[in-house]
Amino acid sequence: MSESVRAALDAAVAEAQVWREELAESRRELFSSLEQALDAQDSQHVCSLLGKIKSSRADGHTNSEQAVVDRADEHLAAAALVTQRRIQAQAAAKTASADAASSR
């Protein structure tokens, strides 16, 4: 292998390593942001970040990352249930109010 080819390969490997390190740091920041959003109970931000995480990682997560993803999924399911119950309560209150008004 010529010296110039070897130098080009070494440069490519070094570039790839920098790219992998930047990708890993970006990933850590994304999961850290998700954990902060979960701690703050910010469902909109959790949903946004979880969508980014799920679309960007096709080859799986580490165990700790998966635990954060599972926690986010549970948070969003609970938030959806709370919203559903609030809507049902509002609908029931409107129906009761309408029934009371019509029976007068």
Side-chain angles (χ1 to χ4, degrees), residues 8 23 30 33 72 75:
L23 186 62
L30 188 59
S33 294
H75 168 83

Side-chain angles (χ1 to χ4, degrees), residues 75-93:
H75 168 83
L76 292 177
L81 184 59
V82 167
T83 299
Q84 179 185 12
R85 287 181 178 160
R86 186 179 62 241
I87 290 169
Q88 288 171 340
Q90 289 171 344

